[in-house]
């Protein structure tokens, strides 16, 4: 089956993002804001709420309307701020914008709003988190000199502004997923004010999405208000007039607030909390996101010399009894992972990771063939979530392999900085999910310079070549086969150890009615309380 290369504006945009966010506030409820329906949700203190600078910020996502967006019902890609995205060869792309769109401050959204934002994000010296999104663009290498010197240019040579509503993009190689890339946070536009006073803009950003910035009380809460002049489909913005991201350092106090009626939404609920929440809050408080887009792994940096041996990594993997953890601690709300991609992707091959089978005796033999391990395996993780799971994994490794394991939980912002600056001391426990449905979203982590590659720094020329072929292949099955071939090579070195595919649960208060919760977009894009 060929992938369509022309994506023209849809007649209607169905249930994009926060459509299901409706509030049934009653007097005294947490949803009863004086200015209309208010929905509160758990957040962590972001490093930035500018989408290009902190690509995982829920707030940043709520502020932006991308060129493209994913329909949460059909999972099909549809234009949003774009009128169309077209290509004859998947390498040169023409983008037409919808006319008449503005930012929250009333200034027009033009082709230059996107080009300027992309140039700034792609410039390595700016150190914006979204930088890796543009690695496939012509001119990216010039903005990111390999010797660390200052770039000689300030623009991506592959991006050309034709006029106010048209721009073209030239990629280094064909990439059939390019329209999907345009649905991600780093490709949001920026107004002129973002460059005139960057410090002020960071504290009060302006964008073009269905919600606009209201206030940021650091380490307390971030408030957004529905933008009544949003030019997109009205259903995109959901039912809440105000979104309040209440900031917590871990999920436990957020859960306590929810049981007290002071919080409406929690996402990424750890499996050990599911049973308790079902009992205390009722089964109706739980909702499940159906896309199966997430995976938990231990990523192992190649720059840590004592962890470089593939046999050592395989020994660590085989010492973990995933089935036991999934059954006991996780209560069946996660399944063991046996691949570097989740089963929901076309490139998935059952049993791709043969070292993901629990075999402590073979693990000890592999450890011996690796020359043993006299040091301490450090596992760094986000202190805000999944600490029980990290402890269980660490205990399995320590008990079954006989090596010392030390846990090092960090706040999310610190952990991100350590990862991005390649300052990790050991393995990184992490939750990874796609921004759009493609094997590239997972496997680019193991491509030289790919999006997410900074965690491990893994590099393999054969993998790089296969990834490039897979992206350029227009036949979906042939593309999936190439991705699977690339994965097989990566697994030989095991720069990341697959652990679990978590069932993706969220919690909602009785005041937060959700309809058709079917995808990550229901929470991660534009509503963010959903």
């Amino acid at each position: 089956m060929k992938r369509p290369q022309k994506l023209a504006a849809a007649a209607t945009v169905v249930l994009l993002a926060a459509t299901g966010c409706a509030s049934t506030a009653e007097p005294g409820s947490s949803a009863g804001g004086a200015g209309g329906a208010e929905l509160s949700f758990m957040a962590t203190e972001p490093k930035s709420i500018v989408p290009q600078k902190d690509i995982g910020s829920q707030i940043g996502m709520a502020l932006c309307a991308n060129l493209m967006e994913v329909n949460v019902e059909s999972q099909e890609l549809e234009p949003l701020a774009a009128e169309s995205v077209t290509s004859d060869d998947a390498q040169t792309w023409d983008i037409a914008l919808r006319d008449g769109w503005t930012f929250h401050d009333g200034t027009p959204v033009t082709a230059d709003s996107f080009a300027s934002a992309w140039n700034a994000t792609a410039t390595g010296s700016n150190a914006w988190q979204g930088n890796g999104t543009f690695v496939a663009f012509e001119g990216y290498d010039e903005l990111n000199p390999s010797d660390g010197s200052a770039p000689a240019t300030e623009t991506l040579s592959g991006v050309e502004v034709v006029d106010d509503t048209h721009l073209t993009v030239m990629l280094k190689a064909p990439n059939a997923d390019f329209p999907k890339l345009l649905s991600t946070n780093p490709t949001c536009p920026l107004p002129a004010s973002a460059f005139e006073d960057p410090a002020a803009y960071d504290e009060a950003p302006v964008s073009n999405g269905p919600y606009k910035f209201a206030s940021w009380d650091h380490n307390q809460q971030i408030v957004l208000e529905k933008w009544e002049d949003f030019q997109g489909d009205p259903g995109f913005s959901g039912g809440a007039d105000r979104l309040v991201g209440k900031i917590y350092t871990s999920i436990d106090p957020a859960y306590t607030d929810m049981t007290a009626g002071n919080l409406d939404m929690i996402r990424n609920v750890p499996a050990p909390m599911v049973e308790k929440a079902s009992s205390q809050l009722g089964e109706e408080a739980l909702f499940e996101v159906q896309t199966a887009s997430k995976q938990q792994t231990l990523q192992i940096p190649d720059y840590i010399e004592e962890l470089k041996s593939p046999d050592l990594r395989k020994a660590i993997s085989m010492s973990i009894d995933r089935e036991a953890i999934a059954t006991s601690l996780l209560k069946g709300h996660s399944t063991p992972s046996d691949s570097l991609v989740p089963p929901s992707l076309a490139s998935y091959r059952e049993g791709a990771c043969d070292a993901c089978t629990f075999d402590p005796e073979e693990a000890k033999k592999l450890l011996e063939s690796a020359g043993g391990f006299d040091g301490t395996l450090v596992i760094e993780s986000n202190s805000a979530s999944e600490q029980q799971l990290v402890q269980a994994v660490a205990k399995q490794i320590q008990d079954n392999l006989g090596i010392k394991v030390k846990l090092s939980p960090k706040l999310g912002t610190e952990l991100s900085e350590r990862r991005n600056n390649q300052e990790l001391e050991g393995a990184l426990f992490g939750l990874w999910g796609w921004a759009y449905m493609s094997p590239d979203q997972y496997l680019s982590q193991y491509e030289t310079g790919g999006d997410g590659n900074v965690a491990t720094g893994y590099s393999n020329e054969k993998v790089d070549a296969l990834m490039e072929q897979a992206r350029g292949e227009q036949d979906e099955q042939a593309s999936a086969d190439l991705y699977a071939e690339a994965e097989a090579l990566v697994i030989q070195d095991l720069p990341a150890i697959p652990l679990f595919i978590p069932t993706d649960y969220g919690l909602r208060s009785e005041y937060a009615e959700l309809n058709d919760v079917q995808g990550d977009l229901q929470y991660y894009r534009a509503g963010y309380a959903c």
Side-chain angles (χ1 to χ4, degrees), residues 299 432 440-447 450-453 456 458:
Q299 294 192 313
W432 189 269
D440 184 40
Q441 283 283 286
Y442 271 86
L443 296 178
S444 65
Q445 297 175 88
Y446 316 111
E447 180 182 17
D451 190 19
N453 180 253
T456 67
Y458 177 77

Side-chain angles (χ1 to χ4, degrees), residues 195-511:
F195 305 101
E196 292 165 357
D197 190 344
Y201 185 84
D202 280 354
E203 290 297 310
V206 172
S207 195
N208 66 327
Y211 287 90
K212 62 182 180 179
F213 176 84
S215 63
W216 183 2
D217 185 2
H218 285 273
N219 297 303
Q220 295 297 319
Q221 67 178 27
I222 301 170
V223 179
L224 304 180
E225 296 175 349
K226 182 185 286 189
W227 185 37
E228 299 300 336
D229 294 328
F230 177 61
Q231 292 97 328
D233 188 279
F236 189 85
S237 59
D241 292 334
R242 283 163 54 93
L243 297 177
V244 180
K246 294 188 176 183
I247 296 170
Y248 301 87
T249 57
S250 70
I251 196 169
D252 292 319
Y255 179 78
T256 299
D257 270 0
M258 176 165 276
T259 59
N262 297 321
L263 187 68
D264 291 314
M265 299 290 303
I266 298 176
R267 276 282 282 109
N268 291 328
V269 176
M273 184 175 281
V274 171
E275 301 297 321
K276 178 172 70 172
S278 179
S279 173
Q280 293 182 341
L281 298 174
E283 290 187 6
E284 65 278 3
L286 284 167
F287 66 91
E288 182 180 345
V289 179
Q290 300 289 344
T291 54
S293 65
K294 293 180 172 59
Q295 182 187 48
Q296 289 156 331
T297 63
L298 277 182
Q299 294 192 313
I300 303 177
D302 258 25
Y303 55 82
I304 298 179
E305 194 63 34
E306 56 269 30
L307 298 178
K308 283 182 73 72
S309 167
D311 279 349
L312 172 62
R313 297 171 180 187
K314 291 173 184 176
I316 293 170
S317 180
M318 297 183 81
S319 73
I320 302 167
D321 190 345
R322 295 166 177 78
E323 288 284 357
I325 294 174
T327 302
S328 58
L329 176 65
L330 304 180
K331 308 294 184 184
H333 299 301
S334 284
T335 57
S337 182
D338 60 358
S339 168
L340 288 172
V341 301
S344 47
L345 292 176
S347 71
Y348 171 76
R349 302 292 184 267
E350 185 176 357
C353 174
D354 55 2
C356 290
T357 302
F358 177 56
D359 190 339
E361 294 307 313
E362 182 61 25
K364 289 173 183 174
K365 292 177 184 177
L366 284 168
L367 179 62
E368 185 178 348
S369 69
F373 184 75
D374 296 328
T376 299
L377 173 63
V378 177
I379 299 179
E380 301 196 42
S381 62
N382 189 331
S383 60
S385 62
E386 303 291 7
Q387 287 308 296
Q388 284 181 280
L389 178 55
V390 182
Q391 290 167 4
V393 169
K395 189 175 189 306
Q396 290 270 348
I397 298 169
Q398 188 161 280
D399 290 352
N400 295 322
L401 204 55
I403 65 174
K404 295 179 181 178
V405 182
K406 175 187 174 183
L407 301 184
S408 181
K410 302 282 194 309
L411 291 176
T413 50
E414 181 184 357
L415 192 64
S416 293
E417 288 181 7
R418 291 175 61 78
R419 179 194 64 220
N420 295 341
N421 295 328
Q422 297 200 323
E423 296 173 345
L424 296 170
E425 295 179 76
L428 172 68
F429 177 90
L431 177 70
W432 189 269
W434 68 57
Y436 54 83
M437 192 173 184
S438 170
D440 184 40
Q441 283 283 286
Y442 271 86
L443 296 178
S444 65
Q445 297 175 88
Y446 316 111
E447 180 182 17
T448 307
D451 190 19
N453 180 253
V454 68
T456 67
Y458 177 77
S459 182
N460 184 321
E461 290 183 359
K462 292 181 179 179
V463 170
D464 296 348
L466 285 166
M467 290 290 292
E468 186 172 315
Q469 281 182 263
R471 276 193 291 266
E473 176 58 62
Q474 301 302 296
D475 182 86
E476 290 184 356
Q477 187 56 57
S479 176
D481 290 343
L482 287 164
Y483 279 122
E485 192 176 343
E487 181 193 7
L489 288 179
V490 176
I491 284 175
Q492 291 179 16
D493 297 321
L494 212 62
I497 296 173
L499 293 175
F500 301 98
I501 304 296
T503 306
D504 197 1
Y505 287 112
L507 288 172
R508 61 177 182 255
S509 72
E510 62 181 299
Y511 305 109

Side-chain angles (χ1 to χ4, degrees), residues 19 21 85 111 123 131 149 153 157 181 196 255-256 268 278 351 439 515:
T19 358
C21 283
V85 177
T123 299
N131 175 276
S149 62
T153 181
S157 59
L181 188 76
E196 292 165 357
Y255 179 78
T256 299
N268 291 328
S278 179
N515 302 312

Side-chain angles (χ1 to χ4, degrees), residues 18-316:
T19 358
C21 283
S23 177
T24 55
E26 297 177 0
S29 79
S30 63
E38 178 178 292
L39 203 61
S40 60
F41 62 100
M42 177 187 172
T44 56
E45 176 73 5
K47 182 178 180 180
S48 173
I49 54 178
V50 178
Q52 296 85 350
K53 295 185 180 182
D54 186 347
I55 61 177
S57 167
Q58 298 161 5
I59 300 297
M61 294 173 189
L63 296 171
C64 168
N66 298 91
L67 287 164
M68 305 295 297
E69 198 50 275
V70 177
N71 184 311
V72 297
E73 279 198 327
S74 66
Q75 289 298 301
E76 293 295 321
L77 198 67
E78 297 174 345
L80 183 57
E83 182 71 27
S84 63
V85 177
T86 60
S87 178
D88 294 327
D89 60 4
Q91 185 167 6
T92 300
W93 293 86
D94 295 306
I95 301 171
L97 307 184
R98 294 180 189 264
D99 198 13
W101 279 48
T102 69
F103 289 102
H104 299 144
D105 61 2
T107 59
V109 176
T110 66
D112 188 66
S113 306
F114 286 95
S116 296
W118 297 352
N119 290 331
T121 310
T123 299
S125 55
N126 286 337
W128 292 5
Q129 197 179 85
N131 175 276
T133 299
F134 299 91
V135 68
F137 283 53
E138 278 287 356
Y140 176 86
D141 294 340
E142 287 74 18
L143 289 175
N144 297 268
S146 58
D147 61 3
S149 62
T153 181
E154 296 181 347
T155 60
L156 287 160
S157 59
V159 177
E160 179 186 355
V161 174
V162 179
D163 56 39
D164 281 351
T165 57
H166 293 83
L167 68 162
T168 63
V169 174
M170 171 68 78
L171 304 178
K172 297 176 189 175
N175 186 349
D177 280 342
F178 179 72
K180 297 178 182 179
L181 188 76
L182 298 179
S183 71
T184 65
N185 261 16
T187 64
C188 291
L190 287 172
S193 59
F195 305 101
E196 292 165 357
D197 190 344
Y201 185 84
D202 280 354
E203 290 297 310
V206 172
S207 195
N208 66 327
Y211 287 90
K212 62 182 180 179
F213 176 84
S215 63
W216 183 2
D217 185 2
H218 285 273
N219 297 303
Q220 295 297 319
Q221 67 178 27
I222 301 170
V223 179
L224 304 180
E225 296 175 349
K226 182 185 286 189
W227 185 37
E228 299 300 336
D229 294 328
F230 177 61
Q231 292 97 328
D233 188 279
F236 189 85
S237 59
D241 292 334
R242 283 163 54 93
L243 297 177
V244 180
K246 294 188 176 183
I247 296 170
Y248 301 87
T249 57
S250 70
I251 196 169
D252 292 319
Y255 179 78
T256 299
D257 270 0
M258 176 165 276
T259 59
N262 297 321
L263 187 68
D264 291 314
M265 299 290 303
I266 298 176
R267 276 282 282 109
N268 291 328
V269 176
M273 184 175 281
V274 171
E275 301 297 321
K276 178 172 70 172
S278 179
S279 173
Q280 293 182 341
L281 298 174
E283 290 187 6
E284 65 278 3
L286 284 167
F287 66 91
E288 182 180 345
V289 179
Q290 300 289 344
T291 54
S293 65
K294 293 180 172 59
Q295 182 187 48
Q296 289 156 331
T297 63
L298 277 182
Q299 294 192 313
I300 303 177
D302 258 25
Y303 55 82
I304 298 179
E305 194 63 34
E306 56 269 30
L307 298 178
K308 283 182 73 72
S309 167
D311 279 349
L312 172 62
R313 297 171 180 187
K314 291 173 184 176
I316 293 170

